[in-house]
Amino acid sequence: VRLHKEVVNAQNNHKIALRDDQEVIPDDEHFDLQWSMKNTGQGGGLPDADIDATDAWEITKGGLTVFGDTIVVAVIDGGADLEHEDLDFWKNHGEIPDNDIDDDGNGYVDDYDGWNAYQQNGDVPTTSSHGTHVAGIVGAIGNNDIGVTGVNMHVKILPVGGSSTTESIAVEALSYVYTIREQYDLSGGTEGAFVVADNCSFGVNNGQPEDYPIWEAMYDSLGQLGVLSIGATANANWNIDETGDIPTAFTTDHLITVTNTTNQDVKRSSAGYGLTTIDLGAPGSGIYSTVLNNEYNYKTGTSMSAPHVAGAVALLFAAADTSFMNFYTNNPSEGALIIKDYILNGVDQLSSLEGITVTGGRLNVFNSINLMLDRPGISINKDSVYIEMLINTTETDTLKIANTGSDTLFYSIEIMDQPSWISLSQY
């Protein structure tokens, strides 16, 4: 054909595809059982009654921040199967295991695998199917052709044995997480772990916050480092606003409280709620995840709902741009609260949660990531300035405004009918 006198040019015929957004479907063996990630109606579920994980993974599959920090989620539970082939556990490489020496000087001896708050040693319990299941929801390794995938495919899991109704044990577990993150910050990332969230799928039914002040204070302290805590509420149809619950009745800003939704996108009948206490719902009924001995199985409960949110928090940190991460580095507490806002504002509204939870919705990690990436943001360190001045005196106050979005923002500040004796200055 090329030699024909009327043919100017010839080439192979190529196939052309439409440039639609392509969701990411992992090759994990049992992914089709994970309705919370991708609900196609399997098992009689309602299609799209999921957290839109496959769409979120098109943006990021997790693992690292834009600055190369290895993202870690602490799972405070009964322990975990440290040998499970589908889980990637954090290791303290500054510690030599089993030598009875605190090699890295963090105050914890032999904490190579994490910490056992029950016995105050580094022997993390390895026989907890519950903790292993929770860890898999947060971050089972994705696209490895086996098992399942977590919300964050490549996150590191820090196992801490410490799920307890005894306040001292819970506080010790949270204190270890605090130490490991503080160690990371103080060492410039050479020691410790970049923990961005801790998952607490345990608690005290009908517990009253005033009886557990130190426990709540630990969530405040972690928040100052930029760590969000995720709490699973009671597995009973109780109004937590009225009955109380620990930790989900705590009022600390850096805690996200979660109830259980089903594959039909409704609140599970045996799950707590509260217009002021319970932030959102997340899938927690018939969740397929990792269990002991390299196996997998179903579990149900708010315990399964909370780690979906913990994994989502970690995924947002993986998707965050340099502008946000710079802001977070310099303002960790405020940055963590912005991540929380993206999680809460990104929910899919559900009628069964409307009026009985703070957001009225179920987790949608894809929406939350898009809120973070698509919407320019301004953070202001106070809502207003109020000063009482005596005659012939001078006072100053400062408003700190930061751009937490991905685009350049232009702004102006004006005072209505500004008196000549008031001046504004920018620094």
Side-chain angles (χ1 to χ4, degrees), residues 208-291:
Q208 301 303 312
E210 60 268 24
D211 296 329
Y212 298 84
I214 301 177
W215 190 335
E216 181 168 17
M218 280 308 307
Y219 291 140
D220 288 327
S221 297
L222 284 161
Q224 294 308 303
L225 294 180
V227 180
L228 289 172
S229 297
I230 318 301
T233 197
N235 285 301
N237 192 35
W238 295 334
N239 184 344
I240 304 304
D241 292 358
E242 298 174 355
T243 67
D245 182 71
I246 301 299
T248 59
F250 286 148
T251 59
T252 174
D253 289 338
H254 289 87
L255 174 67
I256 301 177
T257 54
V258 193
T259 191
N260 180 351
T261 60
T262 72
N263 65 354
Q264 294 292 325
D265 241 358
V266 297
K267 185 188 82 71
R268 187 173 180 86
S269 59
S270 59
Y273 60 94
L275 182 58
T276 64
T277 50
I278 307 305
D279 290 318
L280 78 166
S285 302
I287 303 300
Y288 200 73
S289 183
T290 48
V291 293

Side-chain angles (χ1 to χ4, degrees), residues 97-374:
D98 303 322
N99 68 350
D100 295 324
I101 298 172
D102 180 14
D103 300 287
D104 61 357
N106 68 357
Y108 296 88
V109 175
D110 289 339
D111 61 321
Y112 178 76
D113 292 312
W115 193 246
N116 181 341
Y118 305 116
Q119 299 179 353
Q120 296 83 51
N121 61 41
D123 295 326
V124 176
T126 59
T127 58
S128 174
S129 181
H130 185 278
T132 305
H133 197 273
V134 167
I137 296 169
V138 173
I141 302 169
N143 267 337
N144 62 346
D145 203 33
I146 61 171
V148 296
T149 183
V151 178
N152 190 316
M153 292 187 182
H154 303 299
V155 73
K156 294 278 188 180
I157 302 295
L158 167 57
V160 182
S163 58
S164 175
T165 58
T166 301
E167 186 172 21
S168 61
I169 294 175
V171 168
E172 175 160 349
L174 292 165
S175 296
Y176 179 74
V177 177
Y178 180 95
T179 297
I180 291 298
R181 173 56 195 268
E182 183 183 47
Q183 188 181 18
Y184 187 87
D185 294 342
L186 294 177
S187 68
T190 61
E191 298 177 341
F194 185 62
V195 181
V196 299
D198 63 81
N199 188 86
C200 299
S201 287
F202 61 95
V204 182
N205 286 342
N206 308 132
Q208 301 303 312
E210 60 268 24
D211 296 329
Y212 298 84
I214 301 177
W215 190 335
E216 181 168 17
M218 280 308 307
Y219 291 140
D220 288 327
S221 297
L222 284 161
Q224 294 308 303
L225 294 180
V227 180
L228 289 172
S229 297
I230 318 301
T233 197
N235 285 301
N237 192 35
W238 295 334
N239 184 344
I240 304 304
D241 292 358
E242 298 174 355
T243 67
D245 182 71
I246 301 299
T248 59
F250 286 148
T251 59
T252 174
D253 289 338
H254 289 87
L255 174 67
I256 301 177
T257 54
V258 193
T259 191
N260 180 351
T261 60
T262 72
N263 65 354
Q264 294 292 325
D265 241 358
V266 297
K267 185 188 82 71
R268 187 173 180 86
S269 59
S270 59
Y273 60 94
L275 182 58
T276 64
T277 50
I278 307 305
D279 290 318
L280 78 166
S285 302
I287 303 300
Y288 200 73
S289 183
T290 48
V291 293
L292 300 176
N293 302 317
N294 288 328
E295 294 183 357
Y296 306 84
N297 214 326
Y298 294 96
K299 289 185 184 294
T300 292
T302 58
S303 286
M304 287 62 251
S305 303
H308 280 90
V309 177
V313 168
L315 202 63
L316 262 67
F317 274 94
D321 59 20
T322 56
S323 174
F324 177 83
M325 288 308 299
N326 275 324
F327 175 81
Y328 174 81
T329 299
N330 295 314
N331 308 273
S333 175
E334 294 87 345
L337 291 178
I338 291 171
I339 292 286
K340 177 181 177 178
D341 284 344
Y342 290 139
I343 293 290
L344 300 192
N345 291 328
V347 299
D348 286 332
Q349 295 295 314
L350 301 183
S351 59
S352 66
L353 295 177
E354 183 180 358
I356 64 169
T357 59
V358 174
T359 64
R362 182 254 307 134
L363 174 70
N364 186 309
V365 65
F366 180 60
N367 288 349
S368 295
I369 289 177
N370 280 325
L371 284 176
M372 180 173 65
L373 296 182
D374 295 344

Side-chain angles (χ1 to χ4, degrees), residues 57-78:
W57 293 329
E58 185 183 355
I59 300 171
T60 179
K61 299 177 183 66
L64 302 175
T65 70
V66 68
F67 294 144
D69 303 284
T70 298
I71 300 169
V72 179
V73 171
V75 174
I76 302 173
D77 214 287

